[in-house]
Every structure is written in structure tokens, then in C-alpha cells.
Amino acid sequence: VDFHPQVAKAQMRCSAEDNHNMVYMHVWKAAGYSVMENLKAIGSNYEVVDSFEDDFNWCENINLDSMKHRTVFTFVREPLGRFISGYAEIDRIYLGPRYEFFHQAEEGTMKRAQLFAERFFQDGLIFNGHVKPQSEYFAPFSQSCRLPINFVGKIENLAEDWKNLLESQSCITAKIPYNNSLGQHPTDEKERKAMTDMLESAANNDTAQFLVRDRDNMTA
């Protein structure tokens, strides 16, 4: 199964070009919907190309070749924090039989978090994008289908990196501050705490080591 990421596009005036294309690759659990809503708020002709499994028309739908002037960007997140957040969201919204393996344990417990982490090493948690390693989002999808990234920001420095992105392209929208209130998800504090406690109880466990390697791969 080949999973293609969601992409959002909008146009704005940058570098004296009226229709400069800003193209955002959505890395799940890295402030994605907030970034998309901010892009929509400051751009025109906003469009989303949704993510699908085995979508052989994905590159054609994005239509990068038609964009003479474009900037492709994304934002990433500290991997352990992202994994914890991804676990909390999966626990909340994925209730079908494929996820019963960890729902067998009591809600909000370290045992439930441990079952989740163990399955993560078997199949990437059924290839779920909420915990898919961020470095995998950057890989080409085939020899003829790739999405080269021009700018990578960090959500830990989101407002400043957003400004740096727009200023680097001389966009007139750089003067508009990032709006943190847009596109926020509900929080799942009990599940976050359970996964945090599980990871901290075994600071050298395989899950933590894997996620740290994922972080290092992105920053190498």
C-alpha cells in the first residue's frame, strides 16, 4: 500500500509575482489543520488534494508542472511528542475492529499504551499516518512522482518559522501573524498522559529509540 500525503495549495503575491503558488505537504500530527487554515486565510484559489492509498493520479492531481512559480513547504514536530499525540487521537477516533487489540486494556492506562507501542513495531500501527515516521513523508513515491520540499519548519517554533517562510519568498502576507486559534483539534489529555508515562517508565525502550532516530534522520 502506497500512502500519499494530503497537499494544500494557495496563491499569493510573492517576489513581485501575483500568483505565486504556496504548496503545503501535510505531515499528520504536526499542526497540519492549523497550517492549512492559516494558508487558506491569507491566500486565494485555495485547494486541497486529499490523501489516498494507491492513488496513481496523485501527482497529476497536484499538477506541480503547471506551477511556474511555487514554493513547497511543510512543518514537522518533535517525534516523541508527535507519537504521544498520534496515539491519543487514534485512541479517540479509530474504534473499529482493526483497533480492538489495544482497546482491550482499560482506557487511559499504561497497559493500553504499551499494547499500542508493541503493535507499532509490527506494522507501523496498520500504516496509520498519525504515527507514520515523519522522515517517510519526504521519500519519493516513485521514479516519476515526487514532491521536492523547499522549506521545512518546526511547530515548536511555528509562528516564527511561518513568518520566515513567507519572508524568504518576499510574500506580502508575511506581515500577517500566524493565527494559532485556527484549525485546532480537541485534546485527549488522559491518553497523552498514559503514553507519556509508559515511555518515561522505560526511557531506553525500543519505541523511544526509534523515534529519536526518526528525528535525527530528518535533521541530518
Side-chain angles (χ1 to χ4, degrees):
V1 176
D2 189 7
F3 179 84
H4 296 73
Q6 190 177 47
V7 171
K9 304 183 288 183
Q11 293 180 329
M12 60 192 70
R13 185 172 177 79
C14 303
S15 302
E17 302 156 4
D18 287 330
N19 296 315
H20 188 90
N21 294 278
M22 300 296 289
V23 183
Y24 167 61
M25 182 183 74
H26 180 187
V27 174
W28 290 15
K29 301 311 299 177
Y33 286 110
S34 178
V35 172
M36 291 167 71
E37 288 298 312
N38 272 269
L39 180 63
K40 182 179 180 180
I42 66 173
S44 61
N45 298 319
Y46 179 79
E47 179 187 355
V48 174
V49 178
D50 282 322
S51 53
F52 297 102
E53 295 176 350
D54 291 332
D55 182 1
F56 298 106
N57 297 316
W58 185 78
C59 271
E60 289 79 3
N61 292 338
I62 295 176
N63 201 15
L64 277 182
D65 291 339
S66 70
M67 304 178 197
K68 182 178 180 181
H69 304 291
R70 68 175 185 261
T71 302
V72 184
F73 68 97
T74 194
F75 281 83
V76 295
R77 180 177 184 175
E78 192 282 316
L80 285 174
R82 177 176 175 268
F83 185 81
I84 291 167
S85 180
Y87 163 69
E89 184 159 344
I90 290 171
D91 195 9
R92 175 172 58 86
I93 67 175
Y94 287 86
L95 304 177
R98 296 177 70 191
Y99 291 85
E100 287 180 353
F101 64 89
F102 75 99
H103 288 151
Q104 297 171 4
E106 185 179 350
E107 182 181 352
T109 62
M110 289 174 58
K111 176 60 177 176
R112 188 155 164 150
Q114 182 64 46
L115 289 172
F116 180 96
E118 290 172 354
R119 180 61 178 268
F120 173 75
F121 281 99
Q122 295 177 24
D123 58 16
L125 220 291
I126 318 176
F127 311 106
N128 194 299
H130 292 88
V131 289
K132 172 183 175 178
Q134 294 169 101
S135 55
E136 293 184 13
Y137 279 85
F138 291 80
F141 305 102
S142 71
Q143 289 184 343
S144 60
C145 181
R146 62 190 67 228
L147 188 64
I149 305 295
N150 305 114
F151 181 96
V152 179
K154 298 179 179 179
I155 72 164
E156 291 79 13
N157 194 36
L158 182 51
E160 188 63 27
D161 279 356
W162 179 258
K163 180 180 179 182
N164 291 339
L165 164 66
L166 297 175
E167 287 183 343
S168 71
Q169 303 303 312
S170 301
C171 299
I172 61 172
T173 51
K175 62 185 179 183
I176 302 174
Y178 190 87
N179 188 343
N180 283 303
S181 69
L182 296 177
Q184 294 299 321
H185 280 321
T187 58
D188 310 278
E189 294 302 329
K190 183 164 61 174
E191 289 75 17
R192 289 172 186 261
K193 184 178 186 303
M195 181 60 76
T196 300
D197 290 345
M198 190 279 291
L199 291 173
E200 289 180 348
S201 72
N204 295 317
N205 66 27
D206 291 340
T207 306
Q209 290 185 37
F210 178 85
L211 294 168
V212 168
R213 285 197 298 271
D214 183 47
R215 176 194 61 200
D216 292 342
N217 287 338
M218 287 190 298
T219 56

